[in-house]
């Protein structure tokens, strides 16, 4: 199964992608995670993209497409994958079509998780993340057992640099300008399925299962 998950920052793409990855036993590929781990490891790529990401901008298409191309060519992607956070622009979507053509593959589903801007802003400003094991939390909806500490590994939770108030606004603007047009792009190709991301995580998961005909 080859799946793209679309949606604004904070719509819950990562959460749904992680769940589907376990359920369908196919890799979860998050360009955001790839960039963040490169930043953390201080690689040349990390150095190139840090400033852009911290400011809420987008990494240039050529760089992003190359990374995804490399990742999709790995053995574990042969029977399927879930792309989370890619494509984010029309040129990236065209790049993906080209990559898939070359692989003789095509997408099965593009799931668009729909959430209002107001909910996005509330969500992202309360989001916390474990710098060691990457588990996500929310101070209101999904707090850790002990404040500021990862349930999973005991590390001290942090706020992502790009989850600061100003950056959230610019990420949302970037989303509306550059990523939202992908909804039409995939609708035209008959691949789009909208699911609501406004309420509980399980509600979204159930809608996703329904769209894809997966039994719980
Ligand atoms: P979110 O979806 O919550 O914004 P991500 O982890 O997907 O978070 O992405 C974080 C940041 O990484 C983005 O704001 C952007 O700067 C960069 N990024 C991630 N994916 C892409 C992409 N496909 N193209 C360009 N930049 C990207
Ligand atoms: Zn942790």
């Amino acid at each position: 199964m080859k799946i793209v998950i679309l949606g604004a920052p904070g719509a819950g793409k990562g959460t749904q992608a992680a769940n589907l990855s376990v359920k369908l036993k196919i890799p979860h590929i998050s360009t955001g995670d790839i960039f963040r781990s490169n930043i953390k490891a201080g690689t040349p790529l990390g150095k190139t993209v840090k400033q852009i990401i911290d400011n809420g901008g987008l990494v240039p298409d050529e760089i992003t497409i190359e990374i995804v191309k490399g990742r999709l060519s790995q053995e574990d992607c042969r029977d399927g994958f879930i792309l989370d956070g890619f494509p984010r622009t029309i040129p990236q979507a065209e790049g993906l079509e080209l990559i898939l053509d070359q692989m003789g593959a095509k997408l099965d589903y593009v799931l668009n998780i729909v959430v209002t801007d107001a909910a996005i802003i509330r969500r992202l400003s309360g989001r916390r993340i474990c710098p060691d094991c990457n588990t996500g939390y929310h101070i209101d909806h999904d707090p850790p057992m002990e404040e500021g500490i990862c349930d999973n590994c005991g590390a001290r939770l942090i706020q992502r640099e790009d989850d600061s108030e100003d950056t959230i606004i610019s990420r949302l603007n970037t989303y509306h300008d550059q990523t939202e047009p992908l909804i039409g792009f995939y609708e035209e190709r008959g691949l789009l399925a909208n699911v609501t991301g406004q309420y509980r995580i399980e509600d979204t998961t159930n809608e996703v299962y329904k769209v894809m005909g997966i039994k719980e």
Side-chain angles (χ1 to χ4, degrees), residues 9 13 31-32 36 53 57 59 64 85 88 92 127 160 171:
K13 299 186 295 289
T31 42
R36 276 187 294 278
I53 291 181
V59 175
T64 311
R88 241 177 169 92
Q92 288 182 16
R127 181 155 82 171
R160 265 168 49 177
R171 283 161 67 201

Side-chain angles (χ1 to χ4, degrees), residues 1 3-4 20 108-113 190-196 203-215:
M1 199 64 91
I3 304 166
V4 163
L20 277 178
D108 296 291
Y109 293 99
V110 175
L111 303 169
N112 179 39
I113 307 182
L191 291 169
L192 191 79
N194 290 306
V195 295
T196 175
D203 296 335
T204 309
T205 304
N206 286 333
E207 268 195 63
V208 167
Y209 287 176
K210 212 159 128 195
V211 163
M212 298 182 59
I214 298 173
K215 285 204 275 323

